[in-house]
Amino acid sequence: MNQELWTAVDEYFTKAFLPSDAALDNVLQASEAAGLPPHHVAPNQGKLLQLLSQIQGAKRILEIGTLGGYSTIWFARAVLPDGCVITLEVNPQYADIATYNIARAGLAEIVDIKVGTAIDSIRQLVQLGVAPFDVIFTDADKPSNPEYLCESLKLSHPGTIIIGDNVVREGEVANAACSDPKVQGVRQFCDLISLEPRLSATAIQTVGSKGYDGLVLARVMY
Ligand code: DHB
Ligand code: MG
């Protein structure tokens, strides 16, 4: 098994299941031209996020980590009428690019980008007493994942799904001795999820155009 094969299979699935989409292609082009790190989800992963949100009947989605707004657009297209996506980005330059990309996709009305550290933004949402979210996607700096989980649980309701991106860390997630703060952040995130009695969760390893990685899926049960 190798990257070339994983990419070829992703191209096959993408061609089969995802109609060509100029708006999303534009986002990837604009994000690359602006020099953003290539950390956006793959097209077929974006579609998975959209389908999960639709299965959930989501009206309110919280995204932690906007980058260029690629997954944000998949979520914004998934929410029910009058729904919204609140997305958190620490880098003002990334937020500007995302704002542009989301507006160009015709979704500016649905998406609210909050610029600042994600933990400050989440705490502010908690303080404001906003309505809980139906889907929470954790896809920002991995060392902060444990704090994101603790705070975002305060913005959940029974039935909320929490998705965590990039939890495999080239397999190092299984290495308790690994000193990489991203690995430790993901491990603590997984530990906290497993210890939280309200959460029912699993994690899946994936391969594809984005390499070898994986995601955690948790549901708030009560
Ligand atoms: C990293 C972060 C991401 O959100 C991603 O999708 C891939 C990699 C990272 O920080 O390494
Ligand atoms: Mg990611």
Side-chain angles (χ1 to χ4, degrees):
M1 289 300 236
N2 56 51
Q3 184 58 58
E4 211 176 310
L5 182 60
W6 300 340
T7 301
V9 173
D10 255 5
E11 279 169 7
Y12 169 72
F13 286 150
T14 299
K15 210 170 154 194
F17 299 120
L18 281 75
S20 73
D21 191 315
L24 287 169
D25 293 345
N26 286 340
V27 172
L28 296 184
Q29 267 170 27
S31 300
E32 192 182 350
L36 264 56
H39 289 166
H40 55 83
V41 299
N44 50 343
Q45 293 172 331
K47 182 77 180 276
L48 176 67
L49 296 175
Q50 184 185 62
L51 285 165
L52 286 170
S53 302
Q54 289 167 334
I55 291 163
Q56 175 75 341
K59 195 159 183 186
R60 291 174 54 79
I61 297 180
L62 175 64
E63 180 181 60
I64 305 169
T66 313
L67 197 63
Y70 183 76
S71 47
T72 321
I73 289 171
W74 282 106
F75 284 126
R77 288 174 171 180
V79 290
L80 290 173
D82 300 321
C84 69
V85 179
I86 296 181
T87 184
L88 316 179
E89 180 52 56
V90 68
N91 185 317
Q93 190 207 338
Y94 296 177
D96 282 349
I97 292 157
T99 301
Y100 169 80
N101 285 337
I102 289 159
R104 199 158 63 148
L107 296 163
E109 305 268 279
I110 294 174
V111 179
D112 180 4
I113 304 183
K114 299 205 179 293
V115 185
T117 70
I119 199 66
D120 284 350
S121 296
I122 301 172
R123 287 192 175 130
Q124 210 158 17
L125 293 171
V126 172
Q127 209 125 52
L128 286 168
V130 301
F133 294 91
D134 309 305
V135 175
I136 300 174
F137 182 50
T138 305
D139 191 23
D141 58 308
K142 311 311 173 198
S144 302
N145 267 10
E147 288 155 279
Y148 296 152
L149 178 74
C150 292
E151 290 303 310
S152 56
L153 270 172
K154 298 175 189 168
L155 297 169
S156 70
H157 59 74
T160 295
I161 59 169
I162 297 173
I163 306 162
D165 197 21
N166 315 116
V167 295
V168 168
R169 313 311 317 169
E170 295 172 327
E172 284 300 291
V173 69
N175 176 9
C178 180
S179 60
D180 179 343
K182 290 186 183 187
V183 173
Q184 285 303 329
V186 164
R187 284 181 59 85
Q188 283 170 32
F189 181 64
C190 291
D191 288 349
L192 285 170
I193 289 172
S194 72
L195 289 168
E196 170 54 61
R198 284 178 294 162
L199 290 175
S200 173
T202 190
I204 295 291
Q205 301 179 72
T206 57
V207 294
S209 61
K210 308 296 290 184
Y212 167 48
D213 211 325
L215 57 84
V216 163
L217 175 63
R219 180 174 187 268
V220 179
M221 302 302 289
Y222 58 87

